[in-house]
Amino acid sequence: EDSFYDYYDEVEVSQSASGGHFKAAMQTRNKEMVDRSHLVVFYVDHASGGAYQTLKYAKKNEVPYINISEKGAELGL
């Protein structure tokens, strides 16, 4: 933990994500970031995985987003 504070200016720990399994914790953290955002930038080029699930969450919650992947844009992601 100290190495994070030595390297970064700020470190934020998601308290709701910190107690769970690491895969579930990442999705919880991603949802929190979307909930706090006015715009989310993604690079999602396939319809699976955590980033894709987060993109779907942003879309469902009507949070504006940009997907900078050309392939993703072709797929309508």
Side-chain angles (χ1 to χ4, degrees):
E1 186 176 308
D2 289 336
S3 65
F4 288 128
Y5 290 105
D6 291 340
Y7 187 77
Y8 297 104
D9 293 333
E10 289 185 42
V11 176
E12 182 176 322
V13 176
S14 170
Q15 295 302 316
S16 59
S18 65
H21 186 271
F22 75 95
K23 286 190 176 187
M26 287 188 285
Q27 192 61 33
T28 300
R29 181 216 48 213
N30 290 349
K31 287 180 177 181
E32 286 182 355
M33 287 191 296
V34 168
D35 291 341
R36 296 178 12 203
S37 298
H38 297 284
L39 174 70
V40 185
V41 179
F42 291 96
Y43 187 96
V44 176
D45 63 1
H46 57 280
S48 64
Y52 172 68
Q53 293 300 320
T54 305
L55 186 149
K56 283 183 22 178
Y57 180 81
K59 194 173 192 175
K60 174 183 169 191
N61 289 282
E62 299 180 354
V63 176
Y65 71 90
I66 298 169
N67 186 3
I68 60 173
S69 165
E70 286 182 29
K71 183 177 178 184
E74 291 170 5
L75 296 173
L77 303 176

